[in-house]
Amino acid sequence: MRAGLPLLIALLLLMPLEGAQPSGAFNVAHRGASAYAPEHTLEAYRLALDQGADYVEQDLGITRDGVLVCLHDLSLERTTDVESVFPDRVTVERDGTRERRRWYVDDFTLAEVRQLDAGRWFDPSFAGARIPTFQEAIDLVKGKAGLFPELKGPARLRAKGLSLEDAVVAALERNGLTSATVRGRPAVLLQSFEAQSLQTLARRLPGIPRTFLVQAPDADGWLTPDRLREMRAFATGVGPARALVDARPGLVAEAHAAGLTVVPWTFRARRGVTDEAATAAAEMRRFTETYGVDGLFTDNPDLFPRSRP
Ligand code: G3P
Ligand code: CA
């Protein structure tokens, strides 16, 4: 009995505590738990919740009839069977001798988008999964975790006379999400690679935090202490590609000094690949504990290191 006591204590220390608060840093399920289920499907979002995600990310596009849908790419061909369902609806783009065939989501109505299979490309066991609307994502996630929508391609939509910002503002207002909290954190965080989009959102939804996404090579100009202070005029956080944090070890402290949170992306391991899982978990721990990032995006919410309260 006495010999079992240390083992029991060790096991208790390893067990997640019921209702335990997360470590200082939060995890964002990147496109849902997208290592294990097709990105941006309700299946991936449900799994993210099951795996304890603090936030579930949605990349947002808009259909021709003005409905917000969750899709990473501006077009449908990578993650759906649009090419066989609507072969004639292609947009052919030429760049010199190169030709690219695109099926832009904003050229399709919601009813058409609903006909597409968004799961089979990932694995046949997910055949029949659909592209969700933002409203469906809200209905699933609200109250259980936070939402972290990214406005994708707002400039392209603006040129077509569509406003992603208007649609997002309306959706958040309609759902009572402009100042809500969940588990002690804001219920919604917004993100964009486009400064103009965040400037609009800062005016329209001043109570919702906004993360400005940056990646090389464009990022370099934004990551000096002066530019970070400038960024604070329209953003509350910076979301750098993770390599940019390793390249600039002072970045987190400089961003914090400018009043910005830091939420890098993306930490991932392919499902079933054990050494990748160990590396991803260790990397997430390094970024949260050594760099002190405020949160991070991961395809694998189950690997996010949780510390005890
Ligand atoms: O939004 C953070 C991260 O998701 C940015 O990259 O291309 O996956 O949207 P992407
Ligand atoms: Ca994103």
Side-chain angles (χ1 to χ4, degrees):
M1 228 17 209
R2 271 202 305 268
L5 192 57
L7 178 62
L8 181 62
I9 292 170
L11 283 173
L12 283 172
L13 285 171
L14 287 171
M15 279 172 56
L17 291 183
E18 187 68 29
Q21 290 301 302
S23 67
F26 57 81
N27 77 71
V28 186
H30 180 247
R31 313 183 194 178
S34 57
Y36 313 106
E39 65 185 54
H40 293 314
T41 59
L42 293 181
E43 289 80 352
Y45 295 168
R46 270 190 211 102
L47 190 56
L49 295 174
D50 290 348
Q51 293 184 348
D54 299 305
Y55 286 89
V56 181
E57 184 199 32
Q58 299 82 42
D59 291 309
L60 294 180
I62 198 163
T63 62
R64 198 176 79 191
D65 47 345
V67 182
L68 288 172
V69 289
C70 304
L71 184 74
H72 174 269
D73 300 359
L74 303 184
S75 57
L76 294 154
E77 62 276 2
R78 181 178 63 87
T79 56
T80 77
D81 56 353
V82 68
E83 200 164 346
S84 57
V85 179
F86 297 106
D88 302 334
R89 301 279 294 280
V90 65
T91 299
V92 180
E93 296 171 341
R94 292 191 176 81
D95 180 11
T97 56
R98 288 185 54 200
E99 182 179 288
R100 181 134 194 224
R101 293 162 60 79
R102 310 284 297 264
W103 282 258
Y104 287 103
V105 66
D106 48 78
D107 288 336
F108 291 81
T109 64
L110 179 64
E112 291 169 338
V113 166
R114 291 299 213 186
Q115 296 175 39
L116 303 175
D117 186 315
R120 185 183 290 277
W121 70 275
F122 182 84
D123 189 284
S125 64
F126 289 101
R130 301 292 160 193
I131 290 176
T133 63
F134 186 38
Q135 185 60 51
E136 286 175 315
I138 291 171
D139 292 342
L140 177 65
V141 173
K142 184 180 172 183
K144 303 186 187 83
L147 296 130
F148 205 156
E150 178 189 343
L151 286 73
K152 280 291 187 199
R156 170 187 159 80
L157 293 170
R158 216 171 281 132
K160 287 188 75 170
L162 294 168
S163 170
L164 206 41
E165 294 83 4
D166 282 355
V168 168
V169 170
L172 296 178
E173 287 178 345
R174 195 169 57 240
N175 286 277
L177 284 169
T178 56
S179 58
T181 60
V182 61
R183 289 156 50 180
R185 293 191 171 102
V188 178
L189 305 174
L190 293 162
Q191 46 164 340
S192 179
F193 280 102
E194 196 198 276
Q196 184 183 338
S197 201
L198 291 188
Q199 283 158 357
T200 300
L201 294 168
R203 278 196 309 277
R204 306 274 305 274
L205 297 170
I208 299 186
R210 300 164 304 280
T211 295
F212 185 45
L213 301 169
V214 292
Q215 63 185 335
D218 304 342
D220 297 342
W222 275 109
L223 299 183
T224 63
D226 281 350
R227 294 302 303 283
L228 288 167
R229 279 191 289 276
E230 191 182 316
M231 190 188 298
R232 185 68 185 88
F234 62 88
T236 59
V238 59
R242 53 182 286 202
L244 296 170
V245 182
D246 274 328
R248 301 179 67 95
L251 173 61
V252 176
E254 289 164 2
H256 285 170
L260 296 163
T261 58
V262 182
V263 188
W265 44 276
T266 299
F267 296 79
R268 53 168 59 107
R270 286 172 295 170
R271 62 181 164 159
V273 185
T274 311
D275 56 340
E276 286 188 13
T279 301
E283 284 291 272
M284 287 192 263
R285 187 173 288 283
R286 185 169 71 85
F287 271 65
T288 54
E289 294 184 357
T290 305
Y291 288 132
V293 299
D294 301 276
L296 55 79
F297 289 84
T298 177
D299 295 357
N300 311 73
D302 57 329
L303 301 179
F304 182 71
R306 295 284 188 189
S307 61
R308 296 171 66 77

